[in-house]
Amino acid sequence: MNYTKKLFYTYIVTRFDALTPSQNTTLEELILDCAVVDDSSLQRLAIVKMIKDHPNLRLAAQYNNAIETKNGLLETKVDLIFLDIEMPILTGFDLLDDLVHKPQIIFVTGKTKYAYKAFNYNAIDYLRKPLTKDRFLNAVHKAINLHRLKTEGNVEDDDYIFVKSNLKKKKVFLNDLKFIEALGDYVKLVTYNEPIIVLSTMKAFEAQLPADRFMRIHKSYIINMDKVEKYNSRNIEIEGDKIPLSRHKKTKLMEALSS
């Protein structure tokens, strides 16, 4: 895709999945040390098994409550926590409030009512119990990509916007922004780093983005066209997420991706 250089941005950083063979070898050897936190021994066992079956994950610790976790993490370094929310005495949110250095978090819970709050804690993903292998693998894939960005992504990206979330302004690099989803009076920015919830309409947020890189393909979705991996007449796929494609947007999208 050819892009016109504009004042809005200075250059496009190469997608991090376009790696050299040596970097791909590094990815294959990448290991995330994981902790599982859940007051249910059966739920912990199910997650532990999936961790042990994954080539890029290593079980570092497992805990049955937040207090035990807080103490254990003082001595055990982990990259990723699979965290339950409803636990005795302290919740998963309480634990995160107490942690100074926060690893990546994938919430694993039986209820959907905490999903919005979970995103405000910069969760990688929010998985419903009972856990399925496909959802687990998709969440882990996001965590691995983020870890790789943080450890290997040493290229500065001057292409960014500022958004207001939780009364704070945040810098969002457009190269990290995969897609935007409408959530009523809010929009959710899905990035390689963290989901960000912003009070805005889709129309207003779309106006902040460069039209030759971002396209609204559905009333509820705007995508970063750089990130499209697969598409057909009904949906497009970005990093395992399938996003619906409106019929009247199909031709425009195909023309943009083939230009």
Side-chain angles (χ1 to χ4, degrees):
M1 187 183 301
N2 296 321
Y3 296 106
T4 304
K5 187 175 181 181
K6 293 185 176 181
L7 180 62
F8 188 84
Y9 63 100
T10 59
Y11 61 88
I12 300 172
V13 176
T14 304
R15 288 181 59 182
F16 64 72
D17 54 356
L19 300 174
T20 63
S22 61
Q23 287 174 306
N24 282 327
T25 300
T26 301
L27 178 61
E28 292 172 1
E29 296 172 352
L30 186 150
I31 299 293
L32 299 185
D33 287 312
C34 305
V36 181
V37 183
D38 199 309
D39 59 324
S40 166
S41 58
L42 289 178
Q43 292 295 337
R44 289 201 310 275
L45 182 63
I47 300 172
V48 165
K49 184 180 186 306
M50 291 187 182
I51 290 174
K52 291 182 176 180
D53 288 342
H54 198 290
N56 296 105
L57 302 182
R58 177 169 56 211
L59 181 66
Q62 52 179 309
Y63 308 103
N64 60 23
N65 60 67
I67 296 175
E68 183 181 301
T69 306
K70 182 180 177 181
N71 294 331
L73 293 182
L74 294 175
E75 299 180 354
T76 304
K77 178 185 177 299
V78 299
D79 303 300
L80 175 63
I81 300 178
F82 293 89
L83 180 62
D84 189 17
I85 294 177
E86 291 186 338
M87 294 182 289
I89 306 177
L90 294 179
T91 68
F93 295 131
D94 294 330
L95 169 65
L96 295 180
D97 288 337
D98 288 342
L99 291 181
V100 177
H101 302 291
K102 296 178 178 60
Q104 294 189 64
I105 302 297
I106 294 175
F107 284 107
V108 185
T109 180
K111 298 181 180 179
T112 59
K113 65 180 181 179
Y114 300 112
Y116 179 84
K117 187 174 181 180
F119 285 124
N120 288 331
Y121 279 82
N122 300 335
I124 295 296
D125 212 332
Y126 188 93
L127 306 183
R128 285 285 310 278
K129 298 176 182 178
L131 195 60
T132 66
K133 185 175 181 180
D134 285 346
R135 284 292 288 120
F136 175 86
L137 292 176
N138 187 49
V140 169
H141 181 64
K142 295 176 184 178
I144 290 172
N145 281 336
L146 176 56
H147 184 85
R148 179 171 60 176
L149 274 175
K150 288 182 175 181
T151 56
E152 300 178 5
N154 54 8
V155 179
E156 288 294 327
D157 188 349
D158 289 340
D159 186 8
Y160 60 84
I161 59 174
F162 279 99
V163 299
K164 191 172 184 180
S165 180
N166 289 335
L167 303 179
K168 296 180 181 179
K169 286 190 175 181
K170 294 185 178 181
K171 180 187 286 189
V172 179
F173 291 105
L174 297 186
N175 192 58
D176 291 341
L177 181 55
K178 295 191 287 186
F179 61 89
I180 300 95
E181 179 181 0
L183 293 176
D185 294 331
Y186 296 82
V187 296
K188 181 177 75 174
L189 280 56
V190 180
T191 74
Y192 291 107
N193 189 356
E194 60 185 29
I196 302 171
I197 306 297
V198 178
L199 179 60
S200 174
T201 64
M202 290 288 278
K203 183 177 181 180
F205 196 83
E206 184 180 11
Q208 301 181 57
L209 301 170
D212 51 0
R213 294 181 66 187
F214 290 83
M215 180 183 294
R216 190 169 182 177
I217 64 166
H218 185 275
K219 66 179 181 179
S220 298
Y221 291 94
I222 299 169
I223 64 163
N224 184 338
M225 290 184 286
D226 284 346
K227 309 302 179 182
V228 175
E229 296 177 332
K230 302 176 183 177
Y231 68 93
N232 55 36
S233 60
R234 295 185 177 182
N235 55 62
I236 65 102
E237 188 169 328
I238 297 176
E239 295 289 332
D241 289 306
K242 288 187 176 181
I243 301 169
L245 173 62
S246 295
R247 284 186 298 175
H248 67 282
K249 292 287 187 178
K250 181 177 66 173
T251 301
K252 184 179 178 182
L253 176 65
M254 292 176 66
E255 290 175 352
L257 291 178
S258 60
S259 63

